[in-house]
Amino acid sequence: MKFGKLKSCRLRGQIAALEFENGEGKIELISPWIVNVFCGFETSNHHSYSIEEHRMWNTEIRAREFDGGVELCTDHLRVQVCDGFKVDVYSADGRLLCADYRGERSYEPTVNHADLILAAQEGHEVSLVDKNHKIEILKAMQGDECFYGFGDKTGSLNKRGCEYEMWNTNNPAPQMENVKSLYKSVPFFITLREDCVFGLFFDNHYKTYFDMGKENASYYYIGADDGNLDYYMFFGENMSQVLEGYCSLTGTHELPPLWALGYHQSRWSYESESRMRETAARLRMLGIPCDALYLDIDFMERFKVFTWDREKFPQPEKMIADLKKQGFKTVAILDPAVKKEEGYPVYEEGAENGYFLKDKNGEIYYNKVWAGVSAYPDFSKKSVRDWWGDREGEMLDQGLEGILMDMNEPSTFDGLMPLDVVFDNDGSPTSHKEMHNLYGNLMGKAVREGWSRASTKRPFIVTRACFAGMQKYSMSWTGDNHSIWVMLRESVAQICSMGLSGMGFTGADVGGYGSDCSGELLARWTQLGAFYPYFRNHSSRPTRFQEPWRFGEEVLDVCRKYIRLRYRLLPYLYDLFWQMERTGLPVMRPLVLEYERDPRVREISDQFMIGPSLMAAPALAKGMEYRAVYLPEGRWMDYWKETWEKGGEYVLRETPLDCCPLYVRENSIIPMYPVQNYVGETEIRELTLLITGREASYIHFQDNGEDMAYRKGEYNEYLFEYRDRVFQVSLRHGGYERVYDSYRLLVNGKEYKISRRLAEAGFACMP
Ligand code: MIG
């Protein structure tokens, strides 16, 4: 990839067409803050499955030539394009933000081939493949970089020095911090430097490679096997603005139904109607709030998708309806692969209509999964997506209220799917090599579209595998973790990283999926999970049961306490989800997202924020009696003790088993509901507001929590203000008929109950 000298640059609107000695390229100034760098190795224009509507914001560009290149300026950026298609970006005031590396790649050669083979025989992971890639991007390391994002990766929050591959991988072994690829691929990261921040999205869905200063500390590296050189740089004044830029192109999560924010109880599997009913009854009897129960693969007849095992579930509709009366939604798993079996209509329809992936000879491609030999729907074809979505619609008609898409990497039990398997790609056939990372997204598109055709309710769709942009169709969970302490701890950075990659609606299996959980681990995990955007206890078939009641009274009490706290926080969480739909900003945030100018938070992976106002510092190790908590600038109220701490330093906080340290930022308002057994159990006529400090304002969203009416304006948006001891409510948007009758204010520890009228008129909170 040697472009040679820059010969000409023609600016047309916001696009600069560049001619080099050995090729062409272009720079698009998408907005005053967003730059795209493109060279069409594969297609002459963007070929994106992540950015489905290519947008541009009107931007005035000034261009000038300088010795060795051209400079394109927006109001905020100066983009210099030089020989060799090197691109350097400066701020308007001339600070270097990001520069292409000018040298060649160089890395220490590893030991010789024969030694590597020996090492491999002992079971070491060795790489014998050529490290060079068709597309290579090298950015100069300035020395002060921290890297965040990359979607679903384990390890610390800051990815400096790490190496990753983007290739969706089903890996149920404990996923330690050195794992290069997991179920999801999001080739987006945010670079935070002392005086600047920007994001980079490599819009290439082939297998891609990221080396963030591991092979050489002077540069960081992005590579791809194929596809185009096509990447976006998102600049901005802070991390939030950068992330919003990324989401403005790739999309945001839709507002979920309110019940989805409740507690979910799952297991592989509640494998019969009686087990489902038993679990439901136990939850209600013990007063553990819960909104959703899951059907894992055993609800199907011999793992055949879109069937029911009628022996174990003789009357699914009735069961689902009865559970619903008790306030439980039923969510079912949906795998993509279809069992090869004569007389099984799903298989026969698919085979007859050419709906399955084909091998290179044009025959249906088979591999094995749970159901045995199976075929894989070709979701790159619209007719297949429609077919699948209609089948899913039948599931919704039976009363199911959520779909959890599993095994969509796609998983195979009998060797990997060959790279030359053929995808129809709506009439422009292409290979698995190109489409692998997109399989989850395309399945998600089918399921999301099928949902809208079948139901007027908001979708609840969960995925295991995906690529950048999936947030438009589905939320996610982090797949098969383990009931081991290190994975409890890892989940914090993993979920925060997802949130910094546009996929803020996610969670890890609470209690851990594989391996056996213990009481202490479950207690700690439930008190952490209560703050995950997606809060689901789930465990694997061969492991110890881990519902909250399995480990005695003390653990049960701890779990119940935090699940109830979750229900009290529902309106706050819901407001954050509303914000996430509009901006892409995540619910669960690493401290660095809120305090990026504080160098002490940049490595913090064991504390996090829930929105701007709450901070959790969970106990993440066995037997932990105390932990250090870093409090950023300002003052913080210890939620449990209602005492104040000064920020800018560490405090030591005791962490008895029933305590996840929680802090409320000074000058905050946090809305709360009373505890309910499930969302909608009681009509909430009074809103509680936790108010700290002397001056705070807050926007609160309220609607029916169920359908799309809010898109037509059927919602209320309140402005709560607290200043000079006066609390006041005003309605910024009024479109939902129910309003609160009264408010309960908890102002710095003192309680006031006031009517709606008083709140609207302005109420003085006298001591
Ligand atoms: O590898 O459906 O991640 O949540 O319980 C087993 C059985 C296949 C993997 C999922 C897990 C689910 C399990 N599935």
Side-chain angles (χ1 to χ4, degrees):
M1 211 176 73
K2 297 257 178 282
F3 285 90
K5 279 205 163 324
L6 176 61
K7 284 169 48 190
S8 75
C9 169
R10 266 177 309 114
L11 187 63
R12 247 197 237 119
Q14 292 169 222
I15 302 178
L18 307 161
E19 201 192 325
F20 296 93
E21 259 168 357
N22 312 315
E24 288 170 3
K26 67 177 173 167
I27 298 279
E28 283 178 38
L29 296 150
I30 307 281
S31 84
W33 289 110
I34 305 176
V35 183
N36 172 264
V37 177
F38 181 87
C39 174
F41 289 107
E42 185 184 61
T43 51
S44 59
N45 210 337
H46 305 288
H47 176 52
S48 181
Y49 288 82
S50 305
I51 301 175
E52 287 173 71
E53 269 170 83
H54 190 74
R55 299 169 67 186
M56 286 240 189
W57 286 263
N58 231 329
T59 302
E60 205 184 304
I61 315 290
R62 296 167 301 277
R64 70 170 184 98
E65 272 181 48
F66 65 93
D67 194 22
V70 291
E71 184 175 75
L72 308 161
C73 299
T74 71
D75 285 347
H76 298 294
L77 300 175
R78 288 158 52 178
V79 182
Q80 296 193 348
V81 188
C82 309
D83 292 341
F85 204 177
K86 300 289 181 211
V87 181
D88 304 326
V89 185
Y90 296 82
S91 62
D93 59 15
R95 280 174 301 124
L96 176 65
L97 305 177
C98 176
D100 269 329
Y101 183 66
R102 296 310 200 268
E104 294 293 317
R105 268 183 87 185
S106 73
Y107 40 88
E108 283 173 29
T110 36
V111 274
N112 68 51
H113 201 263
D115 285 350
L116 281 178
I117 291 192
L118 254 182
Q121 282 171 0
E122 203 210 340
H124 295 274
E125 199 186 305
V126 300
S127 166
L128 298 174
V129 294
D130 186 2
K131 277 195 161 188
N132 294 303
H133 303 110
K134 180 170 163 192
I135 296 172
E136 301 194 332
I137 303 163
L138 275 76
K139 297 286 178 197
M141 193 83 83
Q142 309 298 330
D144 57 352
E145 286 90 349
C146 291
F147 299 115
Y148 302 104
F150 293 106
D152 193 16
K153 302 293 182 202
T154 45
S156 310
L157 195 65
N158 177 6
K159 306 302 191 194
R160 174 93 176 257
C162 297
E163 178 188 21
Y164 296 113
E165 290 176 5
M166 297 298 172
W167 187 255
N168 292 357
T169 305
N170 171 17
N171 177 4
Q175 304 138 354
M176 295 305 160
E177 64 177 80
N178 58 344
V179 162
K180 289 192 212 161
S181 20
L182 276 174
Y183 309 92
K184 308 173 190 65
S185 296
V186 187
F188 170 73
F189 63 92
I190 298 175
T191 302
L192 179 66
R193 297 186 44 212
E194 278 313 320
D195 61 353
C196 73
V197 59
F198 63 92
L200 193 152
F201 172 46
F202 186 27
D203 194 359
N204 182 310
H205 46 268
Y206 285 85
K207 185 169 188 176
T208 57
Y209 306 82
F210 292 80
D211 182 311
M212 309 315 285
K214 183 182 174 214
E215 70 176 28
N216 188 320
S218 323
Y219 58 78
Y220 48 105
Y221 168 80
I222 302 166
D225 286 339
D226 227 316
N228 293 323
L229 168 72
D230 189 356
Y231 69 91
Y232 295 78
M233 287 189 276
F234 303 90
F235 295 89
E237 269 148 17
N238 50 44
M239 276 174 91
S240 304
Q241 196 188 329
V242 165
L243 182 53
E244 284 184 44
Y246 170 71
C247 291
S248 70
L249 293 181
T250 56
T252 62
H253 282 301
E254 299 177 271
L255 186 66
L258 184 53
W259 66 262
L261 309 190
Y263 175 68
H264 301 223
Q265 183 61 56
S266 179
R267 168 79 180 174
W268 175 27
S269 295
Y270 296 127
E271 60 189 25
S272 65
E273 175 167 337
S274 57
R275 291 283 301 284
M276 286 290 276
R277 289 183 186 273
E278 234 172 72
T279 308
R282 191 59 90 84
L283 286 157
R284 290 292 174 255
M285 190 185 79
L286 295 172
I288 301 169
C290 181
D291 265 276
L293 294 176
Y294 284 65
L295 292 167
D296 208 307
I297 45 177
D298 301 288
F299 79 91
M300 295 177 269
E301 185 205 327
R302 282 178 295 127
F303 308 124
K304 290 187 293 186
V305 291
F306 305 116
T307 67
W308 283 88
D309 182 328
R310 294 280 168 173
E311 253 166 54
K312 297 185 199 143
F313 296 90
Q315 290 178 291
E317 275 109 331
K318 174 139 197 324
M319 176 192 75
I320 296 169
D322 288 350
L323 290 172
K324 194 166 175 175
K325 280 185 215 138
Q326 301 173 58
F328 295 99
K329 317 283 185 208
T330 305
V331 179
I333 203 166
L334 179 59
D335 289 354
V338 176
K339 184 179 177 61
K340 180 185 185 201
E341 184 181 274
E342 259 166 59
Y344 167 36
V346 183
Y347 174 71
E348 290 195 336
E349 264 172 53
E352 263 160 42
N353 294 303
Y355 287 164
F356 297 127
L357 296 180
K358 309 249 166 37
D359 66 19
K360 59 177 186 297
N361 304 317
E363 305 293 334
I364 296 180
Y365 169 77
Y366 297 101
N367 202 307
K368 277 193 189 150
V369 280
W370 299 109
V373 175
S374 299
Y376 292 75
D378 182 354
F379 295 114
S380 69
K381 209 170 168 176
K382 182 166 186 305
S383 54
V384 178
R385 291 197 296 272
D386 289 347
W387 169 64
W388 194 264
D390 289 345
R391 286 280 180 179
E392 166 216 352
E394 292 163 18
M395 294 173 79
L396 302 182
D397 291 344
Q398 294 166 341
L400 293 169
E401 304 218 28
I403 301 286
L404 180 136
M405 302 183 292
D406 191 17
M407 311 287 280
N408 54 350
E409 293 74 31
S411 304
T412 51
F413 288 177
D414 192 11
L416 295 175
M417 184 181 284
L419 294 179
D420 58 6
V421 162
V422 182
F423 283 63
D424 175 80
N425 197 22
D426 281 328
S428 334
T430 183
S431 65
H432 177 221
K433 179 184 178 197
E434 173 176 356
M435 302 306 277
H436 177 78
N437 283 336
L438 299 169
Y439 197 78
N441 283 33
L442 293 166
M443 181 181 183
K445 195 180 171 96
V447 171
R448 176 66 189 87
E449 288 171 359
W451 188 293
S452 288
R453 293 198 299 276
S455 172
T456 55
K457 292 191 181 142
R458 280 179 218 165
F460 181 67
I461 303 168
V462 194
T463 194
R464 191 168 75 172
C466 68
F467 187 72
M470 180 65 146
Q471 61 267 27
K472 293 184 288 282
Y473 303 123
S474 170
M475 43 74 70
S476 66
W477 94 105
T478 59
D480 296 349
N481 61 358
H482 279 253
S483 302
I484 54 179
W485 288 92
V486 53
M487 300 217 75
L488 168 72
R489 186 187 165 91
E490 296 229 314
S491 71
V492 176
Q494 195 174 359
I495 297 171
C496 285
S497 299
M498 285 288 282
L500 293 178
S501 312
M503 297 205 59
F505 191 5
T506 190
D509 287 348
V510 168
Y513 172 77
S515 311
D516 293 320
C517 194
S518 67
E520 184 184 351
L521 184 58
L522 184 71
R524 292 305 193 190
W525 215 317
T526 307
Q527 58 190 216
L528 167 58
F531 306 108
Y532 286 168
Y534 175 41
F535 184 20
R536 182 180 74 138
N537 174 314
H538 180 57
S539 54
S540 177
R541 195 182 206 17
T543 67
R544 185 181 291 153
F545 284 93
Q546 64 183 41
E547 291 87 354
W549 56 87
R550 300 278 180 185
F551 302 96
E553 283 300 313
E554 190 190 6
V555 171
L556 171 62
D557 284 344
V558 175
C559 294
R560 193 166 35 206
K561 173 176 169 184
Y562 283 86
I563 295 171
R564 287 183 175 174
L565 176 61
R566 168 80 172 203
Y567 278 74
R568 300 198 64 211
L569 287 170
L570 281 177
Y572 180 58
L573 292 169
Y574 196 50
D575 286 337
L576 291 168
F577 274 87
W578 164 238
Q579 187 186 11
M580 182 157 69
E581 174 177 282
R582 283 168 307 151
T583 62
L585 289 183
V587 174
M588 179 167 162
R589 306 175 179 174
L591 267 53
V592 70
L593 185 60
E594 290 286 326
Y595 298 96
E596 68 191 57
R597 290 297 137 218
D598 179 351
R600 295 173 82 182
V601 304
R602 295 183 186 156
E603 296 288 350
I604 293 183
S605 296
D606 61 353
Q607 296 174 219
F608 59 91
M609 308 284 302
I610 304 106
S613 302
L614 257 189
M615 182 176 67
L620 299 168
K622 190 169 192 303
M624 193 178 241
E625 288 181 49
Y626 287 88
R627 67 156 289 170
V629 179
Y630 180 67
L631 299 170
E633 66 182 11
R635 281 173 11 110
W636 296 83
M637 190 184 81
D638 184 312
Y639 177 83
W640 302 111
K641 297 201 266 189
E642 297 192 359
T643 51
W644 286 89
E645 304 278 0
K646 198 163 96 6
E649 57 196 29
Y650 276 90
V651 295
L652 191 63
R653 177 62 162 87
E654 61 279 18
T655 51
L657 190 63
D658 73 340
C659 181
C660 170
L662 261 187
Y663 296 86
V664 186
R665 197 176 187 162
E666 185 175 29
N667 299 328
S668 292
I669 297 180
I670 297 180
M672 293 177 126
Y673 278 175
V675 175
Q676 307 171 76
N677 281 305
Y678 55 90
V679 167
E681 184 189 31
T682 46
E683 200 188 324
I684 314 278
R685 307 301 305 215
E686 180 177 88
L687 190 67
T688 298
L689 297 173
L690 180 67
I691 301 177
T692 60
R694 283 183 296 160
E695 200 177 321
S697 70
Y698 183 87
I699 291 172
H700 173 61
F701 176 84
Q702 181 195 32
D703 75 341
N704 68 25
E706 286 175 2
D707 58 24
M708 294 296 180
Y710 75 101
R711 298 253 171 108
K712 292 190 234 108
E714 288 179 32
Y715 65 89
N716 294 330
E717 215 176 43
Y718 301 85
L719 174 66
F720 301 143
E721 286 174 294
Y722 179 74
R723 185 168 299 121
D724 301 327
R725 293 186 165 271
V726 174
F727 172 76
Q728 189 161 23
V729 174
S730 43
L731 204 58
R732 296 210 322 174
H733 179 97
Y736 180 59
E737 72 279 8
R738 310 252 163 99
V739 289
Y740 302 111
D741 298 333
S742 59
Y743 293 88
R744 183 168 152 254
L745 311 179
L746 300 172
V747 187
N748 300 313
K750 224 174 157 331
E751 184 173 336
Y752 309 85
K753 275 196 153 208
I754 59 175
S755 68
R756 171 179 151 208
R757 263 207 311 146
L758 271 181
E760 283 172 2
F763 174 77
C765 303
M766 282 314 168

